Coordinates of all heavy atoms in Angstrom, one line a residue:
M1 N 0.3 6.3 -11.4 CA 0.0 5.5 -10.2 C 1.2 4.7 -9.8 O 1.8 4.1 -10.7 CB -1.1 4.5 -10.5 CG -2.5 5.0 -10.5 SD -3.6 3.6 -10.7 CE -5.1 4.5 -11.2
S2 N 1.5 4.8 -8.6 CA 2.5 4.0 -8.1 C 2.5 3.9 -6.6 O 1.8 4.7 -5.9 CB 3.9 4.5 -8.6 OG 4.9 3.5 -8.2
I3 N 3.4 3.1 -6.1 CA 3.5 3.0 -4.6 C 4.9 3.6 -4.2 O 5.7 3.8 -5.1 CB 3.5 1.5 -4.1 CG1 4.6 0.7 -4.8 CG2 2.1 0.9 -4.4 CD1 5.0 -0.6 -4.0
Q4 N 5.0 3.8 -2.9 CA 6.3 4.2 -2.4 C 6.5 3.4 -1.1 O 5.6 3.2 -0.3 CB 6.3 5.7 -2.1 CG 7.7 6.2 -1.6 CD 7.6 7.7 -1.4 OE1 6.9 8.2 -0.4 NE2 8.3 8.5 -2.2
I5 N 7.7 2.9 -1.0 CA 8.0 2.1 0.2 C 8.9 2.8 1.1 O 10.0 3.3 0.7 CB 8.6 0.7 -0.2 CG1 7.7 0.0 -1.1 CG2 9.0 -0.1 1.0 CD1 8.3 -1.3 -1.8
D6 N 8.5 2.9 2.4 CA 9.3 3.6 3.4 C 10.3 2.6 4.0 O 9.8 1.7 4.8 CB 8.4 4.2 4.5 CG 9.2 4.9 5.6 OD1 10.4 4.8 5.7 OD2 8.5 5.7 6.3
K7 N 11.5 2.6 3.6 CA 12.5 1.6 4.1 C 12.7 1.7 5.6 O 13.2 0.7 6.2 CB 13.8 1.8 3.4 CG 13.7 1.5 1.9 CD 15.0 1.5 1.2 CE 14.7 1.3 -0.3 NZ 15.9 1.2 -1.1
T8 N 12.5 2.8 6.2 CA 12.7 2.9 7.7 C 11.6 2.1 8.4 O 11.8 1.7 9.6 CB 12.7 4.3 8.2 OG1 11.4 4.9 8.0 CG2 13.7 5.2 7.5
K9 N 10.5 1.8 7.8 CA 9.4 1.0 8.4 C 9.4 -0.4 8.0 O 8.9 -1.3 8.6 CB 8.0 1.6 8.0 CG 7.7 2.9 8.7 CD 6.3 3.3 8.3 CE 5.9 4.6 9.0 NZ 4.5 5.0 8.5
C10 N 10.0 -0.7 6.8 CA 10.1 -2.1 6.3 C 10.8 -3.0 7.2 O 11.9 -2.7 7.6 CB 10.7 -2.1 4.9 SG 10.9 -3.7 4.2
I11 N 10.2 -4.2 7.5 CA 10.8 -5.1 8.4 C 11.3 -6.4 7.6 O 11.5 -7.4 8.2 CB 9.8 -5.6 9.5 CG1 8.5 -6.1 8.9 CG2 9.5 -4.5 10.5 CD1 7.5 -6.8 9.9
S12 N 11.4 -6.2 6.3 CA 12.0 -7.2 5.5 C 11.3 -8.6 5.5 O 11.9 -9.6 5.4 CB 13.5 -7.4 5.8 OG 14.2 -6.2 5.8
C13 N 9.9 -8.6 5.6 CA 9.2 -9.8 5.7 C 9.1 -10.5 4.3 O 8.9 -11.7 4.2 CB 7.8 -9.6 6.3 SG 6.7 -8.7 5.2
G14 N 9.2 -9.7 3.3 CA 9.2 -10.3 1.9 C 7.8 -10.5 1.4 O 7.6 -11.0 0.2
K15 N 6.7 -10.2 2.1 CA 5.4 -10.5 1.7 C 5.0 -9.8 0.4 O 4.3 -10.3 -0.5 CB 4.4 -10.3 2.8 CG 4.4 -11.3 3.9 CD 3.4 -11.0 4.9 CE 3.4 -12.0 6.1 NZ 2.5 -11.7 7.1
C16 N 5.4 -8.5 0.3 CA 5.0 -7.7 -0.8 C 5.7 -8.2 -2.1 O 5.1 -8.2 -3.2 CB 5.3 -6.2 -0.6 SG 7.0 -5.8 -0.3
L17 N 6.9 -8.7 -1.9 CA 7.6 -9.2 -3.1 C 6.9 -10.4 -3.7 O 6.8 -10.6 -4.9 CB 9.1 -9.7 -2.7 CG 10.2 -8.7 -2.5 CD1 10.0 -7.8 -1.3 CD2 11.5 -9.4 -2.4
N18 N 6.4 -11.3 -2.8 CA 5.7 -12.5 -3.2 C 4.3 -12.3 -3.8 O 3.9 -13.0 -4.6 CB 5.6 -13.5 -2.0 CG 7.0 -14.0 -1.6 OD1 7.9 -14.0 -2.4 ND2 7.2 -14.2 -0.3
I19 N 3.6 -11.2 -3.3 CA 2.2 -11.0 -3.7 C 2.1 -10.2 -5.0 O 1.1 -10.3 -5.7 CB 1.4 -10.4 -2.5 CG1 -0.1 -10.7 -2.7 CG2 1.7 -8.9 -2.4 CD1 -0.5 -12.0 -2.3
C20 N 3.1 -9.4 -5.3 CA 2.9 -8.5 -6.4 C 2.7 -9.3 -7.7 O 3.6 -10.0 -8.1 CB 4.1 -7.5 -6.6 SG 3.9 -6.5 -8.1
P21 N 1.6 -9.2 -8.4 CA 1.3 -10.0 -9.6 C 2.2 -9.6 -10.7 O 2.4 -10.4 -11.7 CB -0.1 -9.7 -9.9 CG -0.5 -8.5 -9.2 CD 0.4 -8.3 -8.0
G22 N 2.8 -8.5 -10.7 CA 3.7 -8.0 -11.8 C 5.2 -8.2 -11.5 O 6.1 -7.8 -12.2
N23 N 5.5 -8.8 -10.3 CA 6.9 -9.0 -9.9 C 7.7 -7.7 -9.9 O 8.8 -7.6 -10.4 CB 7.5 -10.1 -10.8 CG 8.8 -10.6 -10.2 OD1 9.0 -10.5 -9.0 ND2 9.7 -11.1 -11.0
L24 N 7.0 -6.6 -9.4 CA 7.6 -5.3 -9.5 C 8.4 -4.9 -8.3 O 9.1 -3.8 -8.3 CB 6.5 -4.3 -9.7 CG 5.5 -4.5 -10.9 CD1 4.4 -3.4 -10.9 CD2 6.3 -4.5 -12.2
I25 N 8.4 -5.7 -7.3 CA 9.1 -5.3 -6.0 C 10.2 -6.3 -5.8 O 10.1 -7.5 -6.0 CB 8.1 -5.3 -4.8 CG1 6.9 -4.5 -5.1 CG2 8.8 -4.9 -3.5 CD1 5.8 -4.5 -4.0
A26 N 11.4 -5.8 -5.4 CA 12.6 -6.6 -5.2 C 13.2 -6.2 -3.8 O 12.8 -5.2 -3.2 CB 13.6 -6.4 -6.3
E27 N 14.1 -7.0 -3.4 CA 14.9 -6.7 -2.2 C 16.1 -5.9 -2.6 O 16.8 -6.2 -3.6 CB 15.3 -8.1 -1.6 CG 15.5 -8.1 -0.1 CD 15.8 -9.6 0.3 OE1 16.9 -10.1 -0.2 OE2 15.0 -10.2 1.0
D28 N 16.4 -4.9 -1.8 CA 17.6 -4.1 -2.1 C 18.8 -4.7 -1.3 O 18.7 -5.7 -0.7 CB 17.4 -2.6 -1.9 CG 17.3 -2.3 -0.4 OD1 17.5 -3.1 0.4 OD2 16.9 -1.1 -0.1
E29 N 19.9 -4.0 -1.4 CA 21.2 -4.5 -0.8 C 21.0 -4.6 0.8 O 21.7 -5.3 1.4 CB 22.4 -3.7 -1.2 CG 22.4 -2.2 -0.9 CD 21.5 -1.4 -1.8 OE1 21.0 -1.9 -2.9 OE2 21.2 -0.2 -1.5
E30 N 20.1 -3.8 1.3 CA 19.9 -3.8 2.8 C 18.8 -4.8 3.2 O 18.3 -4.8 4.3 CB 19.5 -2.4 3.3 CG 20.5 -1.3 3.1 CD 19.9 0.0 3.3 OE1 19.3 0.3 4.3 OE2 20.0 0.8 2.3
K31 N 18.3 -5.6 2.2 CA 17.2 -6.6 2.4 C 15.9 -5.9 2.6 O 14.9 -6.5 3.1 CB 17.5 -7.5 3.6 CG 18.8 -8.2 3.5 CD 18.7 -9.5 2.7 CE 20.0 -10.3 2.7 NZ 20.2 -11.0 1.5
K32 N 15.8 -4.6 2.2 CA 14.5 -3.9 2.3 C 13.8 -4.0 1.0 O 14.4 -4.1 -0.1 CB 14.7 -2.4 2.7 CG 15.5 -2.2 3.9 CD 14.7 -2.5 5.2 CE 15.4 -2.1 6.4 NZ 14.6 -2.2 7.6
A33 N 12.4 -3.9 1.0 CA 11.7 -3.9 -0.2 C 11.9 -2.6 -1.0 O 11.9 -1.6 -0.4 CB 10.2 -4.1 0.1
S34 N 11.9 -2.8 -2.3 CA 12.1 -1.6 -3.2 C 11.3 -1.8 -4.5 O 11.4 -2.9 -5.0 CB 13.6 -1.5 -3.4 OG 13.9 -0.5 -4.4
I35 N 10.6 -0.8 -4.9 CA 9.9 -1.0 -6.2 C 10.8 -0.8 -7.3 O 11.5 0.2 -7.4 CB 8.6 -0.1 -6.3 CG1 7.9 -0.3 -7.6 CG2 8.9 1.4 -6.0 CD1 6.5 -0.6 -7.5
K36 N 10.9 -1.8 -8.2 CA 11.9 -1.8 -9.3 C 11.3 -1.0 -10.5 O 12.1 -0.3 -11.2 CB 12.1 -3.3 -9.9 CG 12.7 -4.2 -8.9 CD 13.0 -5.5 -9.6 CE 11.7 -6.3 -9.9 NZ 11.9 -7.7 -10.4
H37 N 10.0 -1.1 -10.8 CA 9.5 -0.5 -12.0 C 8.2 0.3 -11.6 O 7.1 -0.2 -11.9 CB 9.1 -1.6 -13.0 CG 10.3 -2.5 -13.4 ND1 11.4 -2.1 -14.0 CD2 10.5 -3.8 -13.1 CE1 12.2 -3.1 -14.1 NE2 11.7 -4.2 -13.5
P38 N 8.4 1.4 -11.0 CA 7.2 2.2 -10.5 C 6.2 2.5 -11.6 O 5.0 2.5 -11.3 CB 7.8 3.4 -9.9 CG 9.2 3.4 -10.2 CD 9.6 2.1 -10.6
K39 N 6.6 2.8 -12.8 CA 5.7 3.1 -13.8 C 4.8 2.0 -14.3 O 3.8 2.1 -14.9 CB 6.4 3.7 -15.0 CG 6.9 5.1 -14.8 CD 7.6 5.7 -16.0 CE 8.1 7.0 -15.7 NZ 9.0 7.5 -16.8
E40 N 5.2 0.8 -14.0 CA 4.4 -0.4 -14.4 C 3.4 -0.8 -13.3 O 2.6 -1.7 -13.6 CB 5.4 -1.6 -14.7 CG 6.2 -1.3 -16.0 CD 7.1 -2.4 -16.3 OE1 6.9 -3.6 -15.9 OE2 8.1 -2.1 -16.9
C41 N 3.4 -0.2 -12.2 CA 2.5 -0.5 -11.1 C 1.1 -0.1 -11.6 O 0.9 1.0 -12.0 CB 2.9 0.2 -9.8 SG 1.6 0.1 -8.6
W42 N 0.1 -1.0 -11.5 CA -1.3 -0.7 -11.9 C -2.2 -0.5 -10.8 O -3.4 -0.4 -10.9 CB -1.8 -1.7 -12.9 CG -1.9 -3.1 -12.5 CD1 -3.0 -3.6 -11.9 CD2 -1.0 -4.1 -12.5 NE1 -2.8 -5.0 -11.6 CE2 -1.5 -5.3 -12.0 CE3 0.4 -4.2 -13.0 CZ2 -0.8 -6.5 -11.9 CZ3 1.0 -5.4 -12.9 CH2 0.4 -6.5 -12.4
G43 N -1.6 -0.4 -9.5 CA -2.4 0.0 -8.4 C -3.4 -1.1 -7.9 O -4.5 -0.7 -7.4
C44 N -3.0 -2.3 -7.9 CA -3.9 -3.4 -7.5 C -4.1 -3.4 -5.9 O -5.0 -3.9 -5.4 CB -3.5 -4.8 -7.9 SG -2.0 -5.4 -7.1
T45 N -3.2 -2.8 -5.2 CA -3.1 -2.6 -3.8 C -2.8 -3.9 -3.0 O -2.9 -3.9 -1.8 CB -4.3 -1.9 -3.2 OG1 -5.5 -2.7 -3.2 CG2 -4.6 -0.6 -3.8
A46 N -2.5 -5.0 -3.7 CA -2.2 -6.2 -3.0 C -1.0 -6.1 -2.0 O -1.1 -6.6 -0.9 CB -1.9 -7.3 -4.0
C47 N 0.0 -5.3 -2.4 CA 1.2 -5.2 -1.5 C 0.8 -4.4 -0.3 O 1.3 -4.7 0.8 CB 2.3 -4.5 -2.3 SG 1.9 -2.9 -3.0
L48 N -0.1 -3.4 -0.4 CA -0.5 -2.6 0.8 C -1.2 -3.5 1.8 O -0.9 -3.5 3.0 CB -1.5 -1.5 0.4 CG -0.9 -0.2 -0.1 CD1 -0.7 -0.4 -1.6 CD2 -1.8 0.9 0.1
K49 N -2.1 -4.4 1.3 CA -2.8 -5.3 2.2 C -2.0 -6.3 2.9 O -2.2 -6.7 4.0 CB -3.9 -6.0 1.4 CG -5.0 -5.1 0.9 CD -6.2 -5.8 0.3 CE -6.1 -5.6 -1.2 NZ -7.2 -6.2 -1.9
E50 N -0.9 -6.7 2.2 CA 0.0 -7.7 2.9 C 1.0 -7.1 3.9 O 1.5 -7.8 4.8 CB 0.9 -8.3 1.8 CG 0.2 -9.3 0.9 CD -0.4 -10.5 1.7 OE1 0.4 -11.2 2.4 OE2 -1.6 -10.8 1.7
C51 N 1.3 -5.8 3.8 CA 2.3 -5.2 4.6 C 1.8 -4.9 6.0 O 0.9 -4.0 6.2 CB 2.8 -3.9 3.9 SG 4.2 -3.2 4.9
S52 N 2.3 -5.6 7.0 CA 1.8 -5.3 8.4 C 2.6 -4.2 9.0 O 2.2 -3.8 10.1 CB 2.0 -6.6 9.2 OG 3.4 -7.0 9.2
A53 N 3.6 -3.7 8.3 CA 4.4 -2.6 8.9 C 3.9 -1.2 8.5 O 4.6 -0.2 8.8 CB 5.8 -2.8 8.6
E54 N 2.9 -1.1 7.7 CA 2.4 0.1 7.1 C 3.5 0.9 6.4 O 3.6 2.1 6.5 CB 1.8 1.0 8.2 CG 0.5 0.4 8.8 CD 0.1 1.1 10.1 OE1 0.2 2.3 10.2 OE2 -0.2 0.3 11.1
A55 N 4.3 0.1 5.7 CA 5.5 0.8 5.0 C 5.2 1.2 3.6 O 6.0 1.8 3.0 CB 6.7 -0.2 5.1
I56 N 4.0 0.8 3.1 CA 3.7 1.1 1.7 C 2.6 2.1 1.5 O 1.5 1.9 2.1 CB 3.4 -0.2 0.9 CG1 4.5 -1.3 1.2 CG2 3.2 0.0 -0.6 CD1 4.2 -2.6 0.5
K57 N 2.9 3.1 0.8 CA 1.8 4.1 0.4 C 1.5 3.9 -1.0 O 2.4 3.7 -1.9 CB 2.4 5.5 0.6 CG 2.5 6.0 2.0 CD 3.1 7.4 1.9 CE 3.4 8.0 3.3 NZ 4.1 9.2 3.2
Y58 N 0.3 4.2 -1.4 CA -0.2 4.2 -2.7 C -0.6 5.6 -3.1 O -1.5 6.2 -2.5 CB -1.3 3.2 -2.9 CG -2.0 3.3 -4.2 CD1 -1.4 2.8 -5.4 CD2 -3.3 3.8 -4.3 CE1 -2.0 2.9 -6.6 CE2 -3.9 3.8 -5.5 CZ -3.3 3.4 -6.7 OH -3.9 3.5 -7.9
Y59 N 0.1 6.1 -4.1 CA -0.2 7.5 -4.5 C -1.4 7.6 -5.4 O -1.5 6.8 -6.4 CB 1.0 8.2 -5.1 CG 1.9 8.6 -4.0 CD1 2.9 7.8 -3.4 CD2 1.8 9.9 -3.4 CE1 3.6 8.2 -2.4 CE2 2.5 10.3 -2.3 CZ 3.4 9.4 -1.8 OH 4.2 9.8 -0.7
L60 N -2.3 8.5 -5.1 CA -3.6 8.6 -5.8 C -3.4 9.3 -7.1 O -2.6 10.3 -7.2 CB -4.6 9.3 -4.9 CG -5.0 8.6 -3.6 CD1 -5.8 9.5 -2.7 CD2 -5.7 7.3 -3.8
A61 N -4.2 8.9 -8.1 CA -4.2 9.6 -9.4 C -4.8 11.1 -9.2 O -5.5 11.3 -8.2 CB -5.0 8.9 -10.4
A62 N -4.4 12.0 -10.0 CA -4.8 13.4 -9.9 C -6.3 13.5 -9.8 O -6.8 14.4 -9.0 CB -4.3 14.2 -11.1
D63 N -7.1 12.7 -10.5 CA -8.6 12.9 -10.5 C -9.2 12.4 -9.2 O -10.4 12.6 -9.0 CB -9.2 12.3 -11.8 CG -8.9 10.9 -12.0 OD1 -8.0 10.4 -11.3 OD2 -9.5 10.2 -12.8
I64 N -8.5 11.7 -8.4 CA -9.1 11.2 -7.1 C -8.2 11.7 -6.0 O -8.0 10.9 -5.0 CB -9.3 9.7 -7.1 CG1 -8.1 8.9 -7.5 CG2 -10.5 9.3 -7.9 CD1 -8.2 7.4 -7.3
G65 N -7.7 12.9 -6.0 CA -7.0 13.4 -4.9 C -5.6 13.9 -5.2 O -5.2 15.0 -4.8
G66 N -4.8 13.1 -6.0 CA -3.5 13.5 -6.6 C -2.6 14.4 -5.8 O -2.8 14.5 -4.6
K67 N -1.6 14.9 -6.4 CA -0.8 15.9 -5.8 C -0.3 15.6 -4.5 O -0.3 16.4 -3.5 CB -1.4 17.3 -5.8 CG -1.8 17.8 -7.2 CD -2.4 19.1 -7.1 CE -2.7 19.6 -8.5 NZ -3.6 20.8 -8.5
G68 N 0.1 14.3 -4.3 CA 0.6 13.9 -3.0 C -0.4 13.2 -2.1 O 0.0 12.6 -1.1
G69 N -1.7 13.2 -2.5 CA -2.7 12.4 -1.8 C -2.3 10.9 -1.9 O -1.9 10.5 -3.0
H70 N -2.5 10.2 -0.8 CA -2.1 8.8 -0.8 C -3.0 8.0 0.1 O -3.8 8.5 0.8 CB -0.7 8.6 -0.5 CG -0.3 9.1 0.9 ND1 0.1 10.4 1.2 CD2 -0.3 8.4 2.1 CE1 0.3 10.5 2.5 NE2 0.1 9.3 3.0
L71 N -2.8 6.7 0.0 CA -3.6 5.7 0.6 C -2.7 4.7 1.3 O -1.7 4.3 0.7 CB -4.4 5.0 -0.5 CG -5.4 3.9 -0.3 CD1 -6.6 4.4 0.4 CD2 -5.7 3.3 -1.7
Y72 N -3.1 4.2 2.5 CA -2.4 3.1 3.0 C -3.4 2.3 3.9 O -4.5 2.7 4.1 CB -1.2 3.5 3.9 CG -1.5 4.3 5.1 CD1 -1.6 3.7 6.3 CD2 -1.6 5.7 5.0 CE1 -1.9 4.4 7.5 CE2 -1.9 6.4 6.2 CZ -2.0 5.8 7.4 OH -2.3 6.5 8.5
S73 N -3.0 1.1 4.2 CA -4.0 0.2 4.9 C -3.4 -0.4 6.2 O -2.1 -0.4 6.3 CB -4.4 -0.9 4.0 OG -3.4 -1.8 3.7
K74 N -4.2 -0.8 7.1 CA -3.8 -1.4 8.3 C -4.7 -2.6 8.6 O -5.9 -2.5 8.6 CB -4.0 -0.4 9.4 CG -3.4 -0.7 10.7 CD -3.5 0.5 11.6 CE -2.8 0.2 13.0 NZ -2.8 1.4 13.8
N75 N -4.1 -3.7 8.9 CA -4.9 -4.9 9.2 C -5.3 -4.8 10.7 O -4.5 -4.6 11.6 CB -4.0 -6.2 9.1 CG -4.2 -6.9 7.8 OD1 -5.3 -7.4 7.6 ND2 -3.2 -6.9 7.0
C76 N -6.6 -5.0 10.9 CA -7.2 -4.9 12.3 C -8.0 -6.2 12.5 O -9.2 -6.1 12.6 CB -8.1 -3.7 12.5 SG -7.4 -2.2 11.9
G77 N -7.3 -7.3 12.6 CA -8.0 -8.6 12.9 C -9.0 -8.9 11.7 O -8.5 -9.1 10.6
D78 N -10.3 -9.0 12.0 CA -11.3 -9.3 11.0 C -11.5 -8.2 10.0 O -12.2 -8.4 9.0 CB -12.6 -9.7 11.6 CG -12.5 -11.0 12.3 OD1 -11.6 -11.8 12.0 OD2 -13.4 -11.3 13.2
S79 N -11.0 -7.0 10.3 CA -11.2 -5.8 9.4 C -9.9 -5.3 8.8 O -8.8 -5.6 9.3 CB -11.8 -4.7 10.2 OG -13.0 -5.1 10.9
M80 N -10.1 -4.6 7.7 CA -9.0 -3.9 7.1 C -9.4 -2.4 7.1 O -10.5 -2.0 6.7 CB -8.9 -4.4 5.6 CG -7.9 -3.6 4.8 SD -6.2 -4.0 5.2 CE -6.0 -5.7 4.6
A81 N -8.5 -1.6 7.7 CA -8.7 -0.2 7.7 C -8.0 0.5 6.6 O -6.8 0.2 6.4 CB -8.3 0.4 9.1
W82 N -8.6 1.3 5.8 CA -8.0 2.0 4.7 C -8.0 3.5 5.1 O -9.0 4.1 5.5 CB -8.8 1.9 3.5 CG -8.7 0.5 2.9 CD1 -9.5 -0.6 3.1 CD2 -7.7 0.0 2.0 NE1 -9.1 -1.7 2.4 CE2 -8.0 -1.3 1.7 CE3 -6.5 0.6 1.4 CZ2 -7.1 -2.1 0.9 CZ3 -5.7 -0.2 0.6 CH2 -6.0 -1.5 0.4
Y83 N -6.8 4.1 5.0 CA -6.6 5.5 5.3 C -6.3 6.3 4.1 O -5.4 5.9 3.3 CB -5.5 5.7 6.3 CG -5.8 5.1 7.7 CD1 -5.5 3.8 7.9 CD2 -6.4 5.9 8.7 CE1 -5.8 3.2 9.2 CE2 -6.7 5.3 9.9 CZ -6.4 4.0 10.1 OH -6.7 3.4 11.4
I84 N -7.0 7.3 3.9 CA -6.8 8.2 2.7 C -6.3 9.5 3.2 O -6.9 10.2 4.1 CB -8.1 8.4 1.9 CG1 -8.6 7.1 1.4 CG2 -7.9 9.4 0.7 CD1 -10.0 7.1 1.0
V85 N -5.1 10.0 2.8 CA -4.6 11.2 3.2 C -4.6 12.2 2.0 O -4.0 11.9 0.9 CB -3.1 11.1 3.7 CG1 -2.6 12.5 4.2 CG2 -3.1 10.1 4.8
S86 N -5.4 13.2 2.1 CA -5.5 14.1 0.9 C -4.3 15.0 0.7 O -3.4 15.1 1.6 CB -6.8 15.0 1.0 OG -6.6 15.8 2.2
A87 N -4.2 15.7 -0.4 CA -3.1 16.5 -0.7 C -2.9 17.6 0.4 O -1.8 18.1 0.7 CB -3.2 17.2 -2.0
D88 N -4.0 18.1 1.0 CA -3.9 19.1 2.1 C -3.9 18.4 3.5 O -4.2 19.1 4.5 CB -5.1 20.1 2.0 CG -6.5 19.4 2.0 OD1 -6.5 18.2 2.2 OD2 -7.5 20.1 1.9
H89 N -3.4 17.2 3.5 CA -3.1 16.5 4.8 C -4.4 16.1 5.6 O -4.2 15.7 6.8 CB -2.1 17.2 5.6 CG -0.9 17.6 4.9 ND1 0.0 16.7 4.3 CD2 -0.4 18.8 4.5 CE1 1.0 17.3 3.7 NE2 0.7 18.6 3.8
K90 N -5.5 16.2 5.0 CA -6.7 15.7 5.8 C -6.7 14.2 5.7 O -6.4 13.6 4.6 CB -8.0 16.3 5.2 CG -8.2 17.8 5.5 CD -9.5 18.3 5.0 CE -9.6 19.8 5.2 NZ -10.3 20.4 4.1
K91 N -7.1 13.6 6.8 CA -7.1 12.1 6.8 C -8.5 11.6 7.0 O -9.3 12.1 7.8 CB -6.3 11.7 8.0 CG -5.8 10.2 7.9 CD -5.1 9.8 9.2 CE -3.7 9.4 8.9 NZ -3.0 8.9 10.1
Y92 N -8.9 10.6 6.1 CA -10.2 9.9 6.2 C -9.9 8.4 6.3 O -8.9 8.0 5.9 CB -10.9 10.2 4.9 CG -11.0 11.6 4.5 CD1 -10.0 12.2 3.7 CD2 -12.1 12.4 4.9 CE1 -10.1 13.5 3.3 CE2 -12.2 13.7 4.5 CZ -11.1 14.3 3.7 OH -11.2 15.6 3.4
H93 N -10.8 7.7 6.9 CA -10.6 6.3 6.9 C -11.9 5.5 6.9 O -13.0 6.0 7.3 CB -9.7 5.9 8.1 CG -10.5 5.5 9.4 ND1 -10.9 6.5 10.3 CD2 -10.9 4.3 9.9 CE1 -11.5 5.9 11.3 NE2 -11.6 4.6 11.1
I94 N -11.8 4.3 6.3 CA -13.0 3.4 6.3 C -12.5 2.1 6.8 O -11.3 1.7 6.6 CB -13.6 3.3 4.8 CG1 -12.5 2.9 3.8 CG2 -14.3 4.5 4.4 CD1 -13.1 2.5 2.5
K95 N -13.4 1.4 7.4 CA -13.0 0.0 7.9 C -13.9 -1.0 7.2 O -15.1 -0.8 7.1 CB -13.3 0.0 9.4 CG -12.3 -0.8 10.2 CD -12.5 -0.7 11.6 CE -11.2 -0.9 12.4 NZ -11.4 -0.9 13.8
I96 N -13.3 -2.0 6.7 CA -14.1 -3.0 5.9 C -13.9 -4.4 6.6 O -12.8 -4.8 6.8 CB -13.6 -3.1 4.4 CG1 -13.9 -1.7 3.8 CG2 -14.3 -4.2 3.7 CD1 -13.3 -1.5 2.4
N97 N -15.0 -5.0 6.8 CA -15.0 -6.4 7.4 C -14.5 -7.3 6.2 O -15.0 -7.3 5.1 CB -16.4 -6.8 7.8 CG -16.3 -8.2 8.5 OD1 -15.7 -9.1 8.1 ND2 -17.1 -8.3 9.6
K98 N -13.4 -8.0 6.5 CA -12.8 -8.8 5.4 C -13.7 -9.9 4.9 O -13.7 -10.2 3.7 CB -11.5 -9.5 5.9 CG -10.4 -8.6 6.2 CD -9.2 -9.4 6.7 CE -8.2 -8.5 7.3 NZ -7.1 -9.2 8.0
K99 N -14.6 -10.4 5.7 CA -15.6 -11.4 5.3 C -16.6 -10.8 4.2 O -17.1 -11.6 3.4 CB -16.3 -12.0 6.4 CG -15.5 -12.9 7.3 CD -16.3 -13.5 8.4 CE -15.6 -13.5 9.7 NZ -16.4 -13.1 10.9
D100 N -16.8 -9.5 4.4 CA -17.8 -8.9 3.5 C -17.2 -8.2 2.3 O -17.9 -7.7 1.4 CB -18.6 -7.8 4.2 CG -19.4 -8.4 5.4 OD1 -19.7 -9.7 5.4 OD2 -19.7 -7.7 6.3
S101 N -15.9 -8.2 2.2 CA -15.2 -7.4 1.2 C -15.5 -7.8 -0.2 O -15.4 -6.9 -1.1 CB -13.7 -7.3 1.5 OG -13.2 -8.6 1.4
N102 N -15.8 -9.0 -0.5 CA -16.1 -9.4 -1.8 C -17.6 -9.7 -2.1 O -18.0 -10.2 -3.1 CB -15.3 -10.7 -2.2 CG -13.9 -10.4 -2.3 OD1 -13.4 -9.4 -2.8 ND2 -13.0 -11.4 -1.9
A103 N -18.4 -9.2 -1.1 CA -19.8 -9.4 -1.3 C -20.4 -8.2 -2.1 O -20.0 -7.1 -2.0 CB -20.5 -9.4 0.1
Y104 N -21.4 -8.6 -2.9 CA -22.0 -7.5 -3.8 C -23.5 -7.4 -3.4 O -24.1 -8.3 -2.9 CB -21.9 -7.9 -5.3 CG -20.5 -7.8 -5.7 CD1 -19.7 -9.0 -5.8 CD2 -19.9 -6.6 -6.1 CE1 -18.4 -9.0 -6.2 CE2 -18.6 -6.6 -6.5 CZ -17.8 -7.7 -6.6 OH -16.6 -7.7 -7.0
Ligands
SF4_201 S1 5.4 -6.3 3.1 FE1 6.1 -4.3 4.1 S2 7.5 -4.9 5.7 FE2 7.3 -6.7 4.4 S3 9.0 -6.5 2.9 FE3 7.2 -5.5 2.0 S4 7.4 -3.3 2.6 FE4 8.7 -4.5 3.9
SF4_202 S1 0.0 -2.0 -6.1 FE1 -0.1 -4.1 -7.1 S2 1.0 -3.9 -9.0 FE2 1.6 -2.1 -7.7 S3 3.5 -2.8 -6.7 FE3 1.8 -3.3 -5.3 S4 1.2 -5.4 -5.7 FE4 2.5 -4.7 -7.5

């Protein structure tokens, strides 16, 4: 499990660096976010939720899509949209109201 950061989309806001609980993301020489220790990422998705530039992808484990399947998110006001792109490039999405996201 790991993330990948698209430097061409990164706007150098620094939010992912500050939110990662493992301190796994750093700024590179161009001031763009870069994952320092990809193997240590445990997939909490906090950095995806913070990134307003849709620059971060989270690669899915083999048993839930794998082989290039990935996930990214988009903030839509009161909602968070999650996009899942499968290995065969099919795209699915779900929208979650942020106020209900921790309700059980
Ligand atoms: S949150 Fe997104 S835009 Fe901001 S530094 Fe991280 S990757 Fe770049
Ligand atoms: S998914 Fe979580 S652990 Fe992995 S880099 Fe992003 S914030 Fe850090």
